[in-house]
Amino acid sequence: MERPEFYNKFMGELWQRDLAFVNYRIEAAKKLVRRFVPKNSKILEIGCGNGLVTRELCKIAQSVTATDLSAVAIENCRRYVKGAKNLTYYIGNIARSELAQNFRNYDAIVLCDVLEHIPIVERKDLFEFIKLAMKPDGSVILSWPVPEAQKNNPQIIEEPVDWVEICELSGLLPYYFSYVDVDSTNQYVYCVLKKQIPFIKITRTPSFRISNFMKKWLQRLRNLRLLLIEEHK
């Protein structure tokens, strides 16, 4: 089954579930965008799904472009964000579109629960597109589940996301990083990457403990940050 076909079916099922229950994952994502999306800005959302985060973006930004592989997701987004005059849509793989050059000068690019559904071999192309699409002082706002959480909700593509590898792959500077509790402790990673600001903030939930593995992981991150800063001088 091709990805658009899968997500047309999946988004129809998810639409019913999202409207029936409080989605704590979405509520946490809304907090993330409220914190890092500038007011009166120009925003690109890649993988908008049924529009639950899109509606929050429309309250903050001057203009929002919402994209998704699924036509069903875009239609559900239209219904959920009904009446928003600052919202436009695009159906398809925006990074590989012939119109990709038309998507430029965004203050922030948002991907909530998207990276884990993009094949690892396609992620470099995605970030090359993102770097061209964002302003020099723009941000990329990302969220994804840790591998343990991914096991509970497999989709047609469900590949792990490594924070350090994403920094290396994108060539962007780490600005913000946090583990977030949704249904369980430290279930999600929330982060922000930038082109120009060589600063990182790591926050921890109260129950978070740094293991030997995490110490090595954080050291890799520090080394990467220093390398990126040197390259941007």
Side-chain angles (χ1 to χ4, degrees):
M1 183 183 292
E2 295 294 325
R3 273 183 282 174
E5 181 184 351
F6 170 84
Y7 281 108
N8 282 338
K9 182 176 184 295
F10 179 77
M11 286 299 167
E13 297 170 352
L14 191 64
W15 171 251
Q16 300 297 326
R17 189 173 67 193
D18 282 342
L19 294 183
F21 303 99
V22 176
N23 191 320
Y24 295 105
R25 171 180 58 82
I26 295 297
E27 293 305 311
K30 289 179 182 179
K31 291 181 180 179
L32 180 71
V33 300
R34 283 196 295 266
R35 180 172 179 180
F36 289 106
V37 170
K39 291 183 179 179
N40 302 315
S41 53
K42 182 181 178 182
I43 304 302
L44 174 64
E45 184 184 15
I46 299 176
C48 67
N50 289 326
L52 275 70
V53 174
T54 313
R55 186 159 74 173
E56 193 69 26
L57 291 170
C58 289
K59 296 176 183 178
I60 305 168
Q62 182 177 20
S63 68
V64 178
T65 301
T67 75
D68 203 282
L69 290 176
S70 167
V72 171
I74 292 295
E75 181 57 34
N76 289 342
C77 185
R78 289 181 189 274
R79 292 162 60 192
Y80 191 71
V81 198
K82 185 177 180 180
K85 296 181 179 180
N86 59 342
L87 179 61
T88 56
Y89 302 93
Y90 178 83
I91 303 171
N93 186 337
I94 189 172
R96 297 189 171 186
S97 167
E98 295 180 357
L99 302 176
Q101 68 274 9
N102 295 336
F103 297 89
R104 294 291 186 268
N105 298 315
Y106 290 97
D107 296 289
I109 299 177
V110 178
L111 299 89
C112 289
D113 280 352
V114 173
L115 276 182
E116 69 271 23
H117 306 310
I118 296 177
I120 292 174
V121 296
E122 294 182 15
R123 290 176 186 171
K124 186 172 180 59
D125 288 343
L126 172 65
F127 278 104
E128 289 302 316
F129 164 78
I130 285 173
K131 286 189 288 186
L132 291 173
M134 64 192 292
K135 289 182 177 179
D137 60 347
S139 301
V140 184
I141 300 170
L142 303 162
S143 71
W144 65 79
V146 298
E148 292 76 11
Q150 286 181 271
K151 297 174 184 178
N152 298 327
N153 189 29
Q155 295 187 28
I156 189 170
I157 294 175
E158 195 77 38
E159 299 197 25
V161 182
D162 181 276
W163 157 249
V164 177
E165 288 179 2
I166 290 301
C167 290
E168 293 172 343
L169 183 70
S170 68
L172 297 169
L173 296 171
Y175 176 72
Y176 171 85
F177 174 90
S178 179
Y179 280 108
V180 176
D181 299 348
V182 178
D183 298 318
S184 60
T185 303
N186 299 328
Q187 188 179 18
Y188 268 77
V189 171
Y190 282 12
C191 70
V192 178
L193 304 176
K194 287 180 172 285
K195 281 184 178 180
Q196 293 185 343
I197 302 179
F199 172 77
I200 183 169
K201 177 181 179 182
I202 298 178
T203 61
R204 298 179 294 167
T205 57
S207 59
F208 184 73
R209 298 292 183 271
I210 299 181
S211 63
N212 288 333
F213 171 79
M214 283 301 300
K215 288 178 181 177
K216 293 179 181 178
W217 187 83
L218 291 172
Q219 185 60 51
R220 285 178 62 196
L221 185 57
R222 293 188 190 100
N223 294 340
L224 172 64
R225 182 183 64 175
L226 293 174
L227 178 61
L228 290 173
I229 291 172
E230 287 297 321
E231 289 178 353
H232 282 72
K233 284 184 178 179

